[in-house]
Amino acid sequence: MFRTDFPINAVRQTFPALQQTHNDKPVVFLDGPGGSQIPDVVLQSMLAYLSHYNANLGGAFFSSQITTNTMNEARYYGASLINAEQPENIVFGANMTSLTFHMSRTIARRWQSGDEIIVTNLDHYANVSSWQQAAQDKGVLVHQIDVCLPECDLDYEHLASVVNEKTKLIAVTMASNTTGTIVDIKRVVALAKSVGAMVYVDAVHYAPHYLIDVQDLGCDFLVCSAYKFFGPHIGLMYIAPKWLKALNPYKVEPATDIGPGRYETGTQSFEALAGLIACVEHLGSLGDKKQPLRQRLERSYEQYQRYEHQLTEYFLEKLQRFPQVRLYGHSNLQSGRTPTFALKVSGKNALEIAQTLATNNICVWSGHFYAKGLVEQLRCENEGGLLRVGLMHYNTVDEIDAFFEHFEQCLNSAS
């Protein structure tokens, strides 16, 4: 019998979406890697800002001052979430993709023809195409690192073989949004630093499941999107102190050239920043309220991880009953993974399975999930790509049972 001391019922009560039915049936959200549900406090915080204080920065009047305070507070909460040195090392934007395209142009201004950069097949293409296109503009060579199959680990030997004195940047994911595989970022950083190269980390999929510490990682840049960790649609980027003033970002001439604002083009979504503050507070809500925010986050994430590990073990055990289903990624927790599972049923169409599951309100994704290089290396482009099941700390063992019940029916009906 599944046993846990995690307060799952109390946690679920904070998410309005989890209380709904659709067509008189309960809803099972197993689509977290594509975007999480959000707690009520985030909704209320965004509504409160828009209802009373909607303004821009820099005004003398009260609502503009509150907006400025909201921006500053959001930087503090973002810095606490990823353990940045200072709030000024946090930059906001529309999402991870927009921030990365912007930063790829900014960083590429330093490149010269003959330089080299490295991307990987494990990444979401927001962290591939942006660099490929910037490299093409500058006449820079791009190496793309393979994935070791079937565990879908990054091929570190391949990576080491292409790092050289011409390498200027390595762009790498912290965890695969498709297979859940966790990357050894510190190993990548060590390789990069041996030749003086930058490391740009996509932590979008990692952030909901594990607490980030950029100072421990030693990376130069790290980016994530709040809507993947129970917040609104807004992107958050860390810039290491050595680069905050050294780079020359594209911006309009009158805009500030001081601090993180020099990287933020146009007016920010201040309501989303208010939501981000509430989101990070919510993430730390399982910690001791008397402790500083970072310590509360550490205690909370320890509980999220223990519970998600229990869900992962339960899911993997149930999956063993389906020998016709292939799992891409690690089949155990010890090797490093998030509770995200990439499945392929031989001869079956993943899209059709997802569509059938959807008729029973089992929400999962199928396709390539913008991890184009990975899906191509797996040779899963056809037959609907992969079926992806993603668990979050608001999911339950009963929901896993519901998935497998309907999943088995899909397989039997398609036989």
Short mmCIF file of all heavy atoms in Angstrom, two decimals, residues 330-361:
data_model
loop_
_atom_site.label_atom_id
_atom_site.label_comp_id
_atom_site.label_asym_id
_atom_site.label_seq_id
_atom_site.Cartn_x
_atom_site.Cartn_y
_atom_site.Cartn_z
N HIS A 330 15.99 7.25 -17.62
CA HIS A 330 16.39 6.33 -16.56
C HIS A 330 15.19 5.58 -15.98
O HIS A 330 14.13 6.16 -15.76
CB HIS A 330 17.11 7.09 -15.45
CG HIS A 330 18.46 7.59 -15.85
ND1 HIS A 330 19.50 6.74 -16.11
CD2 HIS A 330 18.92 8.85 -16.05
CE1 HIS A 330 20.57 7.46 -16.44
NE2 HIS A 330 20.24 8.74 -16.42
N SER A 331 15.39 4.30 -15.71
CA SER A 331 14.33 3.47 -15.13
C SER A 331 14.44 3.40 -13.62
O SER A 331 13.76 2.60 -12.99
CB SER A 331 14.41 2.05 -15.72
OG SER A 331 15.69 1.47 -15.46
N ASN A 332 15.29 4.23 -13.02
CA ASN A 332 15.40 4.29 -11.57
C ASN A 332 15.76 5.69 -11.14
O ASN A 332 16.25 6.52 -11.94
CB ASN A 332 16.45 3.30 -11.06
CG ASN A 332 17.83 3.58 -11.64
OD1 ASN A 332 18.48 4.54 -11.25
ND2 ASN A 332 18.27 2.75 -12.59
N LEU A 333 15.50 5.99 -9.88
CA LEU A 333 15.74 7.32 -9.35
C LEU A 333 17.22 7.61 -9.13
O LEU A 333 17.67 8.75 -9.23
CB LEU A 333 15.00 7.48 -8.01
CG LEU A 333 13.52 7.82 -8.08
CD1 LEU A 333 12.88 7.65 -6.72
CD2 LEU A 333 13.33 9.24 -8.59
N GLN A 334 17.98 6.57 -8.80
CA GLN A 334 19.36 6.76 -8.41
C GLN A 334 20.20 7.40 -9.52
O GLN A 334 21.19 8.07 -9.25
CB GLN A 334 19.98 5.42 -7.99
CG GLN A 334 19.48 4.90 -6.65
CD GLN A 334 18.02 4.47 -6.68
OE1 GLN A 334 17.56 3.95 -7.69
NE2 GLN A 334 17.30 4.71 -5.59
N SER A 335 19.80 7.19 -10.76
CA SER A 335 20.57 7.71 -11.88
C SER A 335 20.27 9.18 -12.16
O SER A 335 20.97 9.80 -12.97
CB SER A 335 20.29 6.88 -13.14
OG SER A 335 20.64 5.52 -12.92
N GLY A 336 19.26 9.73 -11.54
CA GLY A 336 18.96 11.15 -11.70
C GLY A 336 17.89 11.42 -12.73
O GLY A 336 18.14 11.37 -13.93
N ARG A 337 16.67 11.70 -12.26
CA ARG A 337 15.58 12.01 -13.16
C ARG A 337 14.51 12.81 -12.43
O ARG A 337 14.47 12.83 -11.19
CB ARG A 337 14.95 10.74 -13.74
CG ARG A 337 14.33 9.82 -12.69
CD ARG A 337 13.13 8.99 -13.19
NE ARG A 337 13.20 8.47 -14.53
CZ ARG A 337 12.48 8.97 -15.53
NH1 ARG A 337 11.65 9.98 -15.32
NH2 ARG A 337 12.56 8.43 -16.73
N THR A 338 13.68 13.49 -13.18
CA THR A 338 12.46 14.11 -12.66
C THR A 338 11.31 13.14 -12.90
O THR A 338 11.47 12.15 -13.63
CB THR A 338 12.17 15.43 -13.38
OG1 THR A 338 11.81 15.16 -14.74
CG2 THR A 338 13.37 16.37 -13.33
N PRO A 339 10.13 13.38 -12.32
CA PRO A 339 9.00 12.48 -12.55
C PRO A 339 8.29 12.74 -13.88
O PRO A 339 7.08 12.93 -13.95
CB PRO A 339 8.08 12.77 -11.35
CG PRO A 339 8.36 14.19 -11.01
CD PRO A 339 9.82 14.39 -11.28
N THR A 340 9.09 12.75 -14.95
CA THR A 340 8.59 12.93 -16.31
C THR A 340 9.00 11.72 -17.13
O THR A 340 10.17 11.32 -17.11
CB THR A 340 9.16 14.22 -16.93
OG1 THR A 340 8.66 15.34 -16.20
CG2 THR A 340 8.77 14.36 -18.39
N PHE A 341 8.05 11.13 -17.84
CA PHE A 341 8.27 9.83 -18.47
C PHE A 341 7.93 9.89 -19.96
O PHE A 341 6.82 10.26 -20.34
CB PHE A 341 7.42 8.76 -17.78
CG PHE A 341 7.55 8.79 -16.28
CD1 PHE A 341 6.63 9.46 -15.50
CD2 PHE A 341 8.63 8.17 -15.65
CE1 PHE A 341 6.75 9.51 -14.11
CE2 PHE A 341 8.77 8.21 -14.27
CZ PHE A 341 7.82 8.89 -13.51
N ALA A 342 8.90 9.53 -20.79
CA ALA A 342 8.72 9.49 -22.24
C ALA A 342 8.48 8.04 -22.65
O ALA A 342 9.35 7.19 -22.46
CB ALA A 342 9.96 10.04 -22.94
N LEU A 343 7.31 7.78 -23.21
CA LEU A 343 6.89 6.42 -23.51
C LEU A 343 6.66 6.24 -25.01
O LEU A 343 6.22 7.14 -25.70
CB LEU A 343 5.59 6.09 -22.77
CG LEU A 343 5.55 6.38 -21.26
CD1 LEU A 343 4.18 6.05 -20.69
CD2 LEU A 343 6.64 5.61 -20.53
N LYS A 344 6.95 5.03 -25.47
CA LYS A 344 6.68 4.66 -26.86
C LYS A 344 6.14 3.25 -26.90
O LYS A 344 6.78 2.32 -26.39
CB LYS A 344 7.96 4.76 -27.70
CG LYS A 344 7.73 4.52 -29.19
CD LYS A 344 6.89 5.63 -29.81
CE LYS A 344 6.73 5.46 -31.30
NZ LYS A 344 5.85 6.50 -31.88
N VAL A 345 4.95 3.10 -27.49
CA VAL A 345 4.34 1.79 -27.68
C VAL A 345 4.59 1.37 -29.12
O VAL A 345 4.15 2.04 -30.05
CB VAL A 345 2.83 1.79 -27.38
CG1 VAL A 345 2.25 0.39 -27.50
CG2 VAL A 345 2.56 2.37 -25.99
N SER A 346 5.31 0.28 -29.29
CA SER A 346 5.69 -0.16 -30.63
C SER A 346 4.46 -0.34 -31.51
O SER A 346 3.51 -1.04 -31.16
CB SER A 346 6.46 -1.48 -30.54
OG SER A 346 6.81 -1.93 -31.83
N GLY A 347 4.48 0.33 -32.66
CA GLY A 347 3.41 0.19 -33.63
C GLY A 347 2.15 0.98 -33.32
O GLY A 347 1.18 0.92 -34.08
N LYS A 348 2.17 1.74 -32.23
CA LYS A 348 0.99 2.52 -31.85
C LYS A 348 1.29 4.01 -32.01
O LYS A 348 2.43 4.45 -31.91
CB LYS A 348 0.58 2.24 -30.40
CG LYS A 348 0.47 0.75 -30.06
CD LYS A 348 -0.53 0.02 -30.92
CE LYS A 348 -0.59 -1.45 -30.55
NZ LYS A 348 -1.44 -2.24 -31.48
N ASN A 349 0.26 4.76 -32.23
CA ASN A 349 0.39 6.19 -32.46
C ASN A 349 0.22 6.94 -31.14
O ASN A 349 -0.84 6.86 -30.50
CB ASN A 349 -0.65 6.66 -33.48
CG ASN A 349 -0.42 8.10 -33.90
OD1 ASN A 349 -0.59 9.02 -33.13
ND2 ASN A 349 -0.05 8.27 -35.16
N ALA A 350 1.25 7.67 -30.72
CA ALA A 350 1.21 8.37 -29.44
C ALA A 350 0.13 9.45 -29.41
O ALA A 350 -0.52 9.66 -28.38
CB ALA A 350 2.57 8.99 -29.14
N LEU A 351 -0.06 10.12 -30.54
CA LEU A 351 -1.10 11.16 -30.60
C LEU A 351 -2.48 10.55 -30.39
O LEU A 351 -3.31 11.09 -29.64
CB LEU A 351 -1.04 11.89 -31.94
CG LEU A 351 -2.16 12.90 -32.20
CD1 LEU A 351 -2.19 13.98 -31.13
CD2 LEU A 351 -2.01 13.51 -33.59
N GLU A 352 -2.74 9.41 -31.03
CA GLU A 352 -4.06 8.77 -30.87
C GLU A 352 -4.27 8.30 -29.44
O GLU A 352 -5.38 8.39 -28.91
CB GLU A 352 -4.17 7.60 -31.85
CG GLU A 352 -4.23 8.04 -33.31
CD GLU A 352 -4.30 6.86 -34.27
OE1 GLU A 352 -4.28 5.70 -33.79
OE2 GLU A 352 -4.35 7.10 -35.49
N ILE A 353 -3.22 7.82 -28.79
CA ILE A 353 -3.35 7.41 -27.39
C ILE A 353 -3.68 8.63 -26.53
O ILE A 353 -4.56 8.58 -25.67
CB ILE A 353 -2.06 6.73 -26.91
CG1 ILE A 353 -1.84 5.41 -27.64
CG2 ILE A 353 -2.10 6.49 -25.39
CD1 ILE A 353 -0.52 4.74 -27.33
N ALA A 354 -2.96 9.73 -26.75
CA ALA A 354 -3.22 10.95 -25.97
C ALA A 354 -4.63 11.45 -26.20
O ALA A 354 -5.30 11.92 -25.25
CB ALA A 354 -2.20 12.02 -26.35
N GLN A 355 -5.10 11.37 -27.43
CA GLN A 355 -6.46 11.82 -27.73
C GLN A 355 -7.50 10.95 -27.04
O GLN A 355 -8.51 11.45 -26.51
CB GLN A 355 -6.69 11.82 -29.24
CG GLN A 355 -5.91 12.90 -29.98
CD GLN A 355 -5.99 12.76 -31.49
OE1 GLN A 355 -6.18 11.65 -32.01
NE2 GLN A 355 -5.84 13.85 -32.20
N THR A 356 -7.27 9.65 -27.00
CA THR A 356 -8.20 8.74 -26.32
C THR A 356 -8.20 9.00 -24.82
O THR A 356 -9.25 9.04 -24.17
CB THR A 356 -7.84 7.28 -26.61
OG1 THR A 356 -7.87 7.06 -28.02
CG2 THR A 356 -8.82 6.34 -25.93
N LEU A 357 -7.02 9.19 -24.24
CA LEU A 357 -6.93 9.50 -22.82
C LEU A 357 -7.65 10.80 -22.50
O LEU A 357 -8.29 10.93 -21.45
CB LEU A 357 -5.46 9.59 -22.40
CG LEU A 357 -4.68 8.29 -22.38
CD1 LEU A 357 -3.19 8.56 -22.17
CD2 LEU A 357 -5.19 7.36 -21.28
N ALA A 358 -7.58 11.74 -23.42
CA ALA A 358 -8.22 13.05 -23.20
C ALA A 358 -9.74 12.94 -23.07
O ALA A 358 -10.36 13.74 -22.39
CB ALA A 358 -7.85 14.01 -24.33
N THR A 359 -10.32 11.94 -23.73
CA THR A 359 -11.78 11.77 -23.63
C THR A 359 -12.18 11.39 -22.21
O THR A 359 -13.35 11.51 -21.84
CB THR A 359 -12.28 10.70 -24.61
OG1 THR A 359 -11.70 9.44 -24.28
CG2 THR A 359 -11.91 11.07 -26.04
N ASN A 360 -11.22 10.91 -21.43
CA ASN A 360 -11.47 10.58 -20.02
C ASN A 360 -10.79 11.58 -19.08
O ASN A 360 -10.56 11.28 -17.90
CB ASN A 360 -10.97 9.17 -19.72
CG ASN A 360 -11.82 8.10 -20.40
OD1 ASN A 360 -12.95 7.85 -20.01
ND2 ASN A 360 -11.26 7.49 -21.44
N ASN A 361 -10.47 12.77 -19.61
CA ASN A 361 -9.86 13.84 -18.83
C ASN A 361 -8.50 13.46 -18.24
O ASN A 361 -8.09 14.00 -17.21
CB ASN A 361 -10.78 14.32 -17.70
CG ASN A 361 -12.04 15.01 -18.22
OD1 ASN A 361 -12.10 15.40 -19.37
ND2 ASN A 361 -13.03 15.14 -17.36
#
